[in-house]
Amino acid sequence: MSSRFSRLDRLPPYVFATVNQIKMQARREGQDIIDLGMGNPDLGTPAHIVDKLVEAARKPHNHRYSASMGITKLRLAIAKWYKRRFDVDLDPDSEAIVTIGVKEGLSHLVLVSIRPGDVVFTPNPTYPIHPFSAIIAGGDVRGIPVGPGQDFFENLMTATKQTWPRPKMLIISYPHNPTTEVVSLDFFQKVVDYAKENHILVIHDFAYADLVFDGYQAPSFLQAKGAKDVGVEFFSLSKSYSMAGWRMGFCCGNPEAVAALKRIKSYLDYGVFQPIQIASIIALNGPEDCVKDIRAVYKERRDALVRGLNRAGWKIVKPKGTMFVWGRIPEKHRKMGSVEFSKFLIREAQVAVSPGLGFGEYGDEFVRFALIENPMRINQAVRGIRKIM
C-alpha cells in the first residue's frame, strides 16, 4: 500500500483506534463502558434550527447544487455575528467563506497555502488535524509545547530561532483542545506582532468560542489589531449549536487567504446542502438562549467530573473552556504512558478516555475526558475510577 498511496506513508496508525478496539471488545462482552473519549456532542440541535432545516428541505429548488463559498445570506449572517459578538467588521464577499465544518476548510487552506517542505508550527499536544493537515499537504511540522508549565511564546521564539527554512504558517486554537487552555486578547496581539515580524500566515481554530465558564469570555483572534493582515479564523457551529453532524463552519479574515480557499474549493465541492445553510442563518441570527443552555449543560458536567475526580484523589483544575477535562495521569500510574493507562481505565474502571499521546508526544502524561455523558453517568465513571486510586 505504501508504494501506491504515498501520502499515507506519513500518516501513523491512529492512536485512538487501539483504545477504541478494547472498548468495543469490552462492550461485546457485556460490560457497561462509560465512553468519555471522542468529543462527539450528545445534545440535540435546538428545535428552531431543526424546524428551519425541515422547512427548507421540503422545497425542491433547495435540492440543487449550492455555492462552494456559501450562499450570500449566510455570509451576511456571519458578518453580522462577528460585528455583534466581537465588534469586528467583515466584508461578506471577500472576508468570509462557508466551509464543510472546520476540518475541511482548514485542511484545504493549508493545502493551497504551503509547498512540500514548508515548515508549519502547531501546538503540541493539539487537535490532530492541525499538524496532519500540513503533513498531508507535504509540509514539515514543528510542535510548540503547550500546557501546564509551558510558556508558549518562549517555546515559539526558541522554535523560530532553531528552524530553517523559516516557518510559513502558525496554527493555533483557543480555547484549546485538548489542554483546555484559554488566552486573553493580549495573547492574540502578540501572535499578530510575531506573524508580521516573521511573515507568517496564522490560522486560528475558534471551535470552542461559546463553551466558556466562570465568567471567562473567549476573545476572537480577529479582534487583535492587524489580525486580518496576517491570518484567518475558523468557527464551527458544531459545539455552540450542537450541530456536529451538520458539518457547518466558516473561515473569516485575510482576503487573500479567503480568496485562495474559495478558489480551491471551487474545484473540490459544490458547497454544503442548501437547507443546512439556511438553517445556519437562523442559528446565527436567532436568540442565544439555546447557546446559553448548551453551555450550562457542559458546565454541570464539568463540575460533576472535576469534583468527583478531586474527591477520589486525582487532582484536576477546573477548565474555563471547551467540552473537555485534561488530566495528568496520577503519579503511581504515570510510567504506563497514556495509551496503556487508557486501556487500564477500560479494564479496571469501565471508563473510556482519549490517550494524550493521540494529540502529540507532549501529551503522553495526560488523558482527555469528553463531557458527553450526563452527570449521573459521570458520577458512575468517577466511582469506577476511585477503585484504581
Side-chain angles (χ1 to χ4, degrees):
M1 180 176 290
S2 61
S3 60
R4 292 186 59 193
F5 306 108
S6 58
R7 290 197 184 275
L8 295 183
D9 292 347
R10 298 187 66 199
L11 298 181
Y14 202 48
V15 171
F16 305 114
T18 304
V19 177
N20 287 337
Q21 185 177 1
I22 294 173
K23 175 187 71 180
M24 296 309 297
Q25 180 60 37
R27 284 181 166 172
R28 282 193 290 269
E29 293 171 358
Q31 297 182 48
D32 179 19
I33 304 298
I34 300 171
D35 191 355
L36 304 178
M38 184 179 177
N40 191 2
D42 63 315
L43 306 177
T45 305
H48 69 287
I49 302 173
V50 177
D51 290 343
K52 191 64 180 180
L53 171 73
V54 173
E55 176 190 322
R58 294 188 186 280
K59 298 178 179 179
H61 66 267
N62 285 330
H63 300 173
R64 304 164 66 186
Y65 291 130
S66 188
S68 62
M69 69 179 296
I71 60 177
T72 302
K73 288 185 177 180
L74 178 52
R75 286 183 282 108
L76 284 169
I78 291 166
K80 290 178 181 177
W81 184 85
Y82 259 100
K83 182 64 176 177
R84 186 171 66 249
R85 287 287 305 275
F86 305 109
D87 197 26
V88 170
D89 293 307
L90 291 172
D91 182 335
D93 293 322
S94 65
E95 297 178 335
I97 183 170
V98 176
T99 60
I100 309 172
V102 169
K103 287 180 74 171
E104 176 273 319
L106 188 149
S107 300
H108 284 146
L109 180 56
V110 173
L111 182 64
V112 79
S113 300
I114 67 170
R115 296 182 176 92
D118 283 349
V119 177
V120 175
F121 284 170
T122 71
N124 186 336
T126 198
Y127 186 50
I129 197 59
H130 296 160
F132 285 107
S133 61
I135 290 171
I136 291 168
D140 291 328
V141 174
R142 174 143 190 187
I144 310 300
V146 296
Q150 298 287 350
D151 184 318
F152 176 82
F153 283 103
E154 182 178 316
N155 294 337
L156 179 63
M157 295 307 168
T158 299
T160 304
K161 291 174 184 177
Q162 295 175 348
T163 298
W164 188 264
R166 308 301 284 176
K168 294 293 183 67
M169 180 180 290
L170 170 65
I171 302 175
I172 53 177
S173 177
Y174 292 97
H176 185 246
N177 173 17
T179 69
T180 73
E181 286 195 342
V182 296
V183 298
S184 66
L185 185 55
D186 288 342
F187 177 95
F188 287 140
Q189 192 62 60
K190 290 176 70 174
V191 169
V192 170
D193 296 342
Y194 164 83
K196 286 187 174 183
E197 182 178 343
N198 292 277
H199 308 289
I200 286 176
L201 177 67
V202 178
I203 296 177
H204 179 234
D205 181 350
F206 203 24
Y208 298 95
D210 291 303
L211 297 191
V212 290
F213 317 109
D214 304 333
Y216 173 73
Q217 297 292 321
S220 163
F221 169 73
L222 298 180
Q223 287 177 280
K225 185 179 179 181
K228 286 197 289 185
D229 296 334
V230 297
V232 296
E233 183 165 78
F234 282 89
F235 177 77
S236 167
L237 276 68
S238 294
K239 313 304 187 301
S240 300
Y241 300 92
S242 203
M243 294 169 62
W246 299 49
R247 308 315 303 134
M248 172 54 64
F250 49 82
C251 172
C252 300
N254 182 265
E256 187 178 1
V258 169
L261 182 55
K262 175 183 175 183
R263 185 170 179 184
I264 195 171
K265 280 176 64 64
S266 69
Y267 284 93
L268 296 171
D269 70 74
Y270 285 110
V272 177
F273 184 44
Q274 194 150 294
I276 293 178
Q277 296 193 55
I278 293 169
S280 298
I281 296 170
I282 298 301
L284 293 172
N285 287 343
E288 291 293 302
D289 294 348
C290 60
V291 179
K292 294 176 182 177
D293 292 342
I294 290 169
R295 182 187 304 126
V297 169
Y298 285 117
K299 181 181 183 299
E300 182 184 20
R301 295 174 177 185
R302 178 206 66 166
D303 292 348
L305 180 60
V306 172
R307 181 174 59 247
L309 290 176
N310 279 314
R311 286 177 176 172
W314 190 343
K315 299 305 178 185
I316 302 285
V317 176
K318 277 187 180 180
K320 290 187 176 181
T322 77
M323 55 182 289
F324 306 110
V325 168
W326 184 240
R328 194 178 187 194
I329 298 170
E331 187 173 358
K332 71 175 183 177
H333 299 297
R334 201 168 293 157
K335 289 182 180 179
M336 297 172 68
S338 61
V339 175
E340 291 304 316
F341 180 69
S342 297
K343 296 178 185 178
F344 176 70
L345 277 184
I346 293 173
R347 291 194 305 266
E348 302 298 327
Q350 287 73 55
V351 177
V353 298
S354 292
L357 183 63
F359 304 98
E361 62 270 27
Y362 289 104
D364 200 24
E365 289 191 351
F366 297 81
V367 293
R368 190 195 72 178
F369 298 84
L371 302 173
I372 53 172
E373 288 279 7
N374 63 51
M376 185 179 299
R377 293 281 284 173
I378 286 174
N379 289 333
Q380 182 181 340
V382 168
R383 287 195 294 272
I385 291 171
R386 189 178 293 126
K387 292 187 299 184
I388 69 157
M389 296 297 294

